[in-house]
Every structure is written in structure tokens, then in C-alpha cells.
Amino acid sequence: MAKASQKVDLDRLTGTGRTTRPLMRDLSTATGGVAPTVSRWRAFGGGRAWLMAVLLNTALFLAVAFSVVLGPPLFECRQRAEAGFFMGDTFSKCVGEGMWQRLERLENHLSMLVRGSGH
């Protein structure tokens, strides 16, 4: 084990140059002898970086959800279109019905999970 006197200064080695706090506090002053640290780096980057990250995450989530709900009925109706639809059926009607069935199934599944969560 390293002794306290042999402590390695990681800030000096990595060159980050973080401010170091004093080892002992001076309780005679209102701030406790500790100067407020001002960071050059913001938590989420620049002013608009967090907004772009939120928008990107939302778009990614919606793309995945849209492909899960719309993807399988779309491919299924494409196969059915090659064989031919019944009278009055269209490709868009087939996709719409398949999409609504998947949404209803998802809603029923989520409601069953919520009902069973009280146990």
C-alpha cells in the first residue's frame, strides 16, 4: 500500500489542472476557507449541446418505436400484395389495420403489466 506521503498526483500526471482543495478548512471564515471552484467545462457541453442530445435521443426512440409498430405489418402486406388482395382491400388499408392491431396488442400488454404490478 502507498503511504500518504507517497500519494501520486493524478491531476499533475494527466495534465487536467483541476483546482485542489485545501487539506484543512478554516472555520473562522463564512465560506470555511474554501474558495468557490469555477469549472471551465459545463456538465453537458455548450449551451445547445444538451438540446441537440435530447432531440437526437427522442428521434432515435421514435424511429425504433415506429419501425417496431409499422415494420412487420408493412412487410406482411407486401407479401400479401404479391399474392393479391380481396375485393376492396388496398395496401394502405392492410398496413393501417396491421398497425392498429399491433398498437392494441401493445396497449393490452402494457395494461396487463400495470395491473399485475401491484402484487
Side-chain angles (χ1 to χ4, degrees):
M1 262 170 95
K3 295 180 183 176
S5 63
Q6 297 173 344
K7 188 170 119 179
V8 177
D9 187 13
L10 294 177
D11 289 336
R12 184 179 53 80
L13 291 175
T14 59
T16 57
R18 287 188 247 158
T19 59
T20 58
R21 294 180 180 239
L23 296 177
M24 294 178 19
R25 286 188 169 189
D26 180 16
L27 298 178
S28 63
T29 62
T31 61
V34 178
T37 58
V38 178
S39 175
R40 292 182 301 159
W41 306 102
R42 295 176 119 174
F44 293 106
R48 293 187 184 152
W50 67 271
L51 179 62
M52 294 305 293
V54 167
L55 291 176
L56 182 65
N57 284 332
T58 303
L60 184 64
F61 173 76
L62 290 175
V64 169
F66 190 67
S67 65
V68 166
V69 170
L70 185 63
L74 186 68
F75 292 123
E76 191 176 306
C77 291
R78 253 173 101 185
Q79 290 176 350
R80 197 182 306 170
E82 292 173 359
F85 289 115
F86 292 113
M87 185 73 167
D89 284 344
T90 62
F91 182 75
S92 60
K93 182 180 176 183
C94 177
V95 171
E97 288 175 358
M99 183 180 67
W100 286 115
Q101 288 173 358
R102 287 185 69 85
L103 284 173
E104 285 180 20
R105 196 173 344 154
L106 177 64
E107 182 183 4
N108 289 337
H109 182 70
L110 290 175
S111 66
M112 292 301 288
L113 285 174
V114 169
R115 287 182 196 144
S117 66
H119 297 293

